[in-house]
């Protein structure tokens, strides 16, 4: 297998979990357990913890902070919202956009997401853009068309070639998120290779080869190694298992081990 030039990444999406003290403890445990690594490790705590998370992790190589969302406008009368500039001012470097929970519970569609992607890039925040089909879409064999539409309308429409290197894609079949069901390594590989072909069509081969693609949906220590061995899977976006330092570190280690096997 040819050596990959793509950045490998393990990102933990904490969702609406951990209060301030619990978040601090989790970060300290993760820092404590991490060895220097070539894997990019990203932690996405709730908004209120971003600044402290950045302070705690500053100076730890390859450990960065992400927000779980941002608003598409820069400022204004949007009670309860947080702009990309505000996120950036905390020191966070990434923002997760288009997570299926945002799509499902907050009505975020690809037109809105394309604005959020632009807002993030304007603030030098790197989007981790999520896509993935629902169970009924997979059962109807519409999973490819669903993901293609999400990427074209939510992401490609918003990102010019020169900004593309800032983008990470996370493929997370909705039926696998928080359910304990995981896409098989073959299903994951099939979709990540399809996504690579879409990026190639939109941005050319060189940029497609450089684009980091994460797999998500019940990634855990027990299945991480098999997923990360797939040629087109460059890491994981991890929900539940990222809330336990030991599990998350085991996933980072599985990713690291896959580097030496590539
Ligand atoms: C997620 O929230 O992005 C996710 C994949 O969750 P889980 O790992 O819990 O399925």
């Amino acid at each position: 297998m040819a050596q990959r030039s793509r950045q490998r990444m393990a990102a933990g999406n904490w969702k609406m979990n951990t209060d301030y003290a619990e978040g601090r403890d989790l970060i300290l445990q993760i820092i404590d357990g991490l060895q220097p690594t070539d894997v990019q490790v990203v932690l996405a705590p709730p908004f209120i913890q971003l600044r402290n998370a950045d302070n705690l992790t500053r100076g730890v190589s390859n450990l960065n902070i992400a927000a779980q969302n941002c608003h598409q406008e820069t400022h204004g009368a949007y009670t309860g919202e947080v702009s990309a500039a505000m996120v950036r001012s905390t020191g966070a470097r990434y923002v997760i956009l288009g997570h299926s929970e945002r799509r499902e519970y907050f009505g975020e569609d690809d037109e809105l997401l394309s604005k959020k992607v632009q807002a993030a890039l304007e603030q030098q925040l790197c989007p981790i853009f999520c896509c993935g089909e629902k169970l009924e879409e997979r059962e109807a064999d519409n999973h490819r068309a669903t993901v293609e539409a999400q990427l074209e309308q939510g992401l490609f429409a918003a990102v010019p070639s020169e900004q593309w290197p800032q983008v990470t894609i996370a493929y997370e079949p909705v039926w696998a998120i928080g359910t304990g069901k995981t896409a098989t390594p073959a299903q994951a590989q099939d979709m990540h290779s399809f996504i690579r072909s879409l990026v190639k069509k939109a941005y050319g081969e060189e940029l497609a080869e450089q684009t980091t693609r994460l797999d998500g949906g019940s990634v855990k220590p027990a299945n991480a190694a098999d997923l990360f061995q797939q040629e087109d899977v460059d890491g994981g976006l991890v929900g539940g298992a990222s809330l336990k330092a030991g599990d998350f570190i085991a996933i980072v280690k599985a990713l690291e081990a896959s580097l030496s096997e590539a």
Side-chain angles (χ1 to χ4, degrees), residues 13 15 99 101 172 176-178 216-219 237-240:
N13 174 16
K15 312 193 186 192
H99 192 281
E101 288 151 14
E172 305 199 299
I177 296 181
S218 301
V219 175
L237 178 55
V238 185

Side-chain angles (χ1 to χ4, degrees), residues 159-231:
V159 186
S161 296
E162 59 277 15
Q163 287 182 310
W164 183 257
Q166 288 171 247
V167 170
T168 299
I169 297 176
Y171 166 66
E172 305 199 299
V174 180
W175 46 270
I177 296 181
T179 58
K181 290 185 194 154
T182 329
T184 63
Q187 284 172 323
Q189 169 57 25
D190 176 56
M191 286 306 286
H192 284 279
S193 140
F194 174 63
I195 291 167
R196 174 159 53 95
S197 74
L198 296 175
V199 176
K200 183 174 161 186
K201 201 163 67 172
Y203 294 95
E205 177 143 28
E206 201 181 325
L207 288 180
E209 283 308 319
Q210 291 165 13
T211 308
T212 299
R213 278 161 281 126
L214 309 181
D215 198 67
S218 301
V219 175
K220 44 187 179 264
N223 59 24
D226 283 347
L227 284 167
F228 297 156
Q229 269 162 18
Q230 303 306 306
E231 193 180 339

